[in-house]
């Protein structure tokens, strides 16, 4: 072998480039093959298609609540009394874990619409039926690990990190909402 | 191969081409095993027996089970009432899971007491922890399949643990569910994974055994085997001892299956799953309770999840956390006391996991969680610097053959 270190280095550089680019292409190929196998576990088209629900609120009296199903989860709709609305609006946000005003959460102050799933670990809070425990703040109470929510569905006490989720919904008429 | 050790010509013919019989003869018959093993060394083979029992009953159950939210609960009830011997097979499978965990937990504490995880058996231990993790995943998914209230809400709470991960948590949970809540897609994939994971466990168990046979079993004294005088062939000595242990185990197992089949279950799981109503008191299966107590002891969602997984993660690095070169607790007077405290601590955590998360139970579970991590992260690395260990025997034979006199007699004889 002639002692030509320069050309040897060049060859090594070329070889390294070929090896690295081969591995890189193989890696991209493997990821491309793996993706359909992983993504098939995400919600399928028919599951996504079931993503909206219409609810008629005309028969819901003041103080009453109904639970409807949306995407397999319970959605709480409660017709709040004037006192409840007053409480929800006037309370100070200072010591809330997840401060949000009632106006941000409830477009039509009479009807509050919430995903009925505790933000801690997914249990369904109590408070929809007349005999249910409603917690210290009069809204909802999760029996699993003791989270208390107020009239606006805001977390006030217990382990849940955030307020009850407000689903995206709109009023189709005065008394009909479309969730999703 | 002129001199084969096998007389049967068929066996001889096969073994010459495919040496499976030589392999079994070597690993199960002649395999030299320390002669001083006590009954705590039975639990490895018992775990193997439990695994095979679960696979056999599980395959049979899957022939009668329907993985669909509308039929799953009814198909399990049909197994219990109409399928020939279905009640027996399901009760064996259901209680078999609990007994598998009992056996494996004893097996793990055996390892902790006698220092079986120390060099050169670190990988053997790590493979064992991996088996434990796989068992937990398999057991959790199996519990979802009957589609009772505890199945559904257990699945909801446990999958929601992943929502604690910052940024991607919610997407991961949706991916795990295949929808926006625990539903038919979730049940289907859990059935598929519950079926396949036990065979993955079999694979890791084989690796666990290969690693075991590399250096052989540890023993109650924890010192290395010095030669053939310290060992006996596995068969017949330990095959017969394992079989005796198995018969004792089967007596307890049969008592549970036939007389208390629902003792370790929850009545709520005989109510069909209802996504609109959460049971008043959700509790996981007993073998998850210590980890559940740790989860609830931390007053922060992400923190709780991290500590719970951390409780298993510390086991993976245990061979490097423990700085003591002495394996067996018999020669570690201080560690021995702390071992029993750890065992008590784990049982206490299990009790607290079953209690409601309020008042004194929260305080106690915080103390017990703190002790668990103190034991692994502080005590194991630091204790060897303080502890004065007792003198180790010269060999496994020495304490059996009558102490120092015999050992010195051996030594003088060897000099001559």
């Amino acid at each position: 072998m002639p002692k030509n270190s320069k050309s040897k280095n060049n060859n090594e550089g070329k070889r390294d480039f070929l090896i690295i680019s081969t591995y890189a292409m193989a890696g991209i190929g493997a990821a491309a093959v793996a993706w359909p196998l992983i993504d098939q576990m995400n919600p399928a088209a028919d599951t996504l298609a079931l993503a909206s629900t219409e609810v008629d609120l005309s028969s819901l009296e003041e103080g009453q609540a109904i639970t409807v199903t949306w995407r397999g989860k319970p959605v709480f709709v409660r017709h709040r009394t004037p006192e409840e609305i007053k409480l929800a609006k006037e309370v100070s946000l200072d010591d809330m874990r997840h401060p949000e005003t009632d106006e941000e959460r409830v477009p039509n102050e009479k009807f509050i619409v919430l995903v009925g799933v505790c933000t801690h670990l997914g249990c369904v809070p109590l408070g929809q039926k007349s005999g249910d425990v409603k917690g210290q703040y009069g809204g909802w109470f999760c029996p699993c690990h003791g989270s208390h929510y107020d009239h606006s569905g805001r977390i006030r006490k217990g382990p849940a990190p955030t307020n009850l989720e407000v689903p995206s919904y709109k009023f189709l008429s005065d008394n009909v909402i479309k969730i999703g | 191969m002129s001199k084969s050790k096998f007389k049967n010509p068929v066996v001889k013919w096969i073994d010459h081409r495919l040496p499976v019989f030589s392999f079994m003869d070597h690993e199960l018959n002649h395999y030299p095993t320390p002669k001083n093993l006590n009954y705590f060394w039975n639990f490895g083979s018992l775990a193997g027996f439990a695994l095979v029992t679960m696979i056999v009953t599980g395959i049979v159950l899957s022939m009668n089970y329907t993985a669909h939210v509308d039929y799953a609960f009814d198909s399990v009830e049909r197994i219990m009432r109409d399928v020939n011997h279905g009640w027996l097979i399901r009760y064996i499978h259901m209680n078999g899971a609990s007994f598998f965990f009992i056996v494996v937990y004893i097996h793990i504490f055996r390892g902790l007491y006698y220092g079986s995880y120390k060099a050169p058996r670190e990988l053997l231990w790590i493979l064992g922890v991996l088996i434990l993790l796989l068992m937990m995943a398999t057991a959790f998914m199996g519990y979802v399949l009957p589609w009772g209230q505890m199945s559904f809400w257990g699945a909801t709470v446990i999958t929601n643990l992943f929502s604690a991960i910052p940024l991607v948590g919610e997407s991961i949970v949706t991916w795990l569910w295949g929808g926006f809540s625990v539903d038919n897609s979730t049940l289907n994939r859990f059935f598929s994974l519950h079926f396949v994971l036990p065979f993955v466990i079999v694979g890791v168990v084989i690796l666990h055994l290969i690693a075991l046979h590399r250096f052989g079993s540890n023993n109650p004294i924890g010192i290395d085997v010095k030669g053939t005088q310290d060992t006996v062939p596995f068969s017949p000595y330990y095959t017969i001892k394992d079989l005796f242990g198995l018969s004792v185990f089967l007596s307890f197992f049969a008592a549970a299956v036939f007389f208390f089949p629902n003792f370790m279950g929850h009545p709520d799981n005989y109510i069909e799953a209802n996504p609109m109503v959460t049971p008043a008191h959700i509790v996981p299966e007993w073998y998850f309770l210590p980890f559940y107590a740790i989860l609830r002891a931390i007053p922060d969602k992400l923190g709780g999840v991290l500590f719970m997984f951390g409780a298993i993660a510390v086991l993976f690095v245990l061979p490097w956390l423990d700085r003591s070169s002495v394996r067996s607790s018999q020669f570690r007077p201080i560690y021995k006391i702390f071992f029993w405290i750890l065992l008590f601590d784990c049982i206490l955590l299990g009790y607290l996991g079953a209690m409601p998360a309020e008042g004194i139970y929260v305080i106690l579970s915080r103390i017990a969680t703190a002790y668990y991590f103190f034991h692994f992260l502080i005590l194991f690395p630091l204790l060897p610097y303080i502890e004065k260990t007792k003198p180790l025997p010269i060999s496994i034979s020495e304490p059996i053959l009558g102490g120092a006199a015999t050992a010195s007699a051996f030594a003088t004889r060897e000099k001559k």
Side-chain angles (χ1 to χ4, degrees), chain B residues 99 247-257:
Chain B
F99 275 82
S247 64
V248 174
F249 167 79
L250 284 175
S251 310
F252 284 101
F253 188 36
V257 167

Coordinates of all heavy atoms in Angstrom, one line a residue, chain B residues 99 247-257:
Chain B
F99 N -52.5 -15.8 42.8 CA -51.5 -16.7 43.3 C -50.2 -16.5 42.6 O -49.1 -16.6 43.2 CB -52.0 -18.1 43.2 CG -52.8 -18.5 44.4 CD1 -54.1 -18.2 44.5 CD2 -52.2 -19.2 45.5 CE1 -54.9 -18.5 45.6 CE2 -52.9 -19.5 46.6 CZ -54.3 -19.2 46.7
S247 N -47.0 -29.4 45.6 CA -48.2 -30.0 46.2 C -48.8 -29.2 47.4 O -50.0 -29.0 47.5 CB -47.9 -31.4 46.6 OG -47.0 -31.4 47.7
V248 N -47.9 -28.5 48.1 CA -48.4 -27.6 49.2 C -49.1 -26.4 48.6 O -50.2 -26.0 49.0 CB -47.2 -27.2 50.1 CG1 -47.6 -26.2 51.1 CG2 -46.6 -28.4 50.8
F249 N -48.4 -25.8 47.6 CA -49.0 -24.7 46.9 C -50.4 -25.0 46.3 O -51.3 -24.3 46.5 CB -48.0 -24.3 45.8 CG -48.6 -23.3 44.8 CD1 -48.7 -22.0 45.1 CD2 -49.1 -23.7 43.5 CE1 -49.2 -21.0 44.1 CE2 -49.6 -22.8 42.6 CZ -49.7 -21.5 42.9
L250 N -50.5 -26.2 45.7 CA -51.7 -26.6 45.1 C -52.8 -26.8 46.1 O -54.0 -26.5 45.8 CB -51.6 -27.9 44.2 CG -50.8 -27.7 42.9 CD1 -50.6 -29.1 42.3 CD2 -51.6 -26.8 42.0
S251 N -52.5 -27.2 47.3 CA -53.5 -27.3 48.4 C -54.1 -25.9 48.7 O -55.3 -25.8 48.8 CB -52.9 -27.8 49.7 OG -52.1 -29.0 49.4
F252 N -53.3 -24.9 48.8 CA -53.8 -23.6 49.1 C -54.6 -23.1 47.9 O -55.6 -22.5 48.0 CB -52.6 -22.6 49.3 CG -52.0 -22.7 50.7 CD1 -50.9 -23.4 50.9 CD2 -52.7 -22.2 51.8 CE1 -50.3 -23.6 52.2 CE2 -52.2 -22.3 53.1 CZ -51.0 -23.0 53.3
F253 N -54.0 -23.3 46.7 CA -54.7 -22.8 45.4 C -56.0 -23.4 45.3 O -57.0 -22.8 45.0 CB -53.7 -23.2 44.3 CG -54.2 -22.6 42.9 CD1 -54.7 -21.3 42.9 CD2 -54.0 -23.3 41.8 CE1 -55.1 -20.8 41.7 CE2 -54.3 -22.7 40.5 CZ -54.9 -21.5 40.5
A254 N -56.1 -24.8 45.5 CA -57.4 -25.5 45.3 C -58.4 -25.0 46.4 O -59.6 -24.8 46.1 CB -57.2 -27.0 45.5
A255 N -57.9 -24.7 47.6 CA -58.8 -24.2 48.6 C -59.4 -22.9 48.2 O -60.6 -22.6 48.3 CB -58.0 -24.0 49.9
A256 N -58.6 -22.0 47.6 CA -59.1 -20.7 47.1 C -60.1 -20.9 46.0 O -61.2 -20.3 46.0 CB -58.0 -19.8 46.7
V257 N -59.7 -21.8 45.0 CA -60.6 -21.9 43.8 C -62.0 -22.6 44.2 O -63.0 -22.1 43.7 CB -59.9 -22.8 42.8 CG1 -60.8 -23.3 41.7 CG2 -58.7 -22.1 42.1

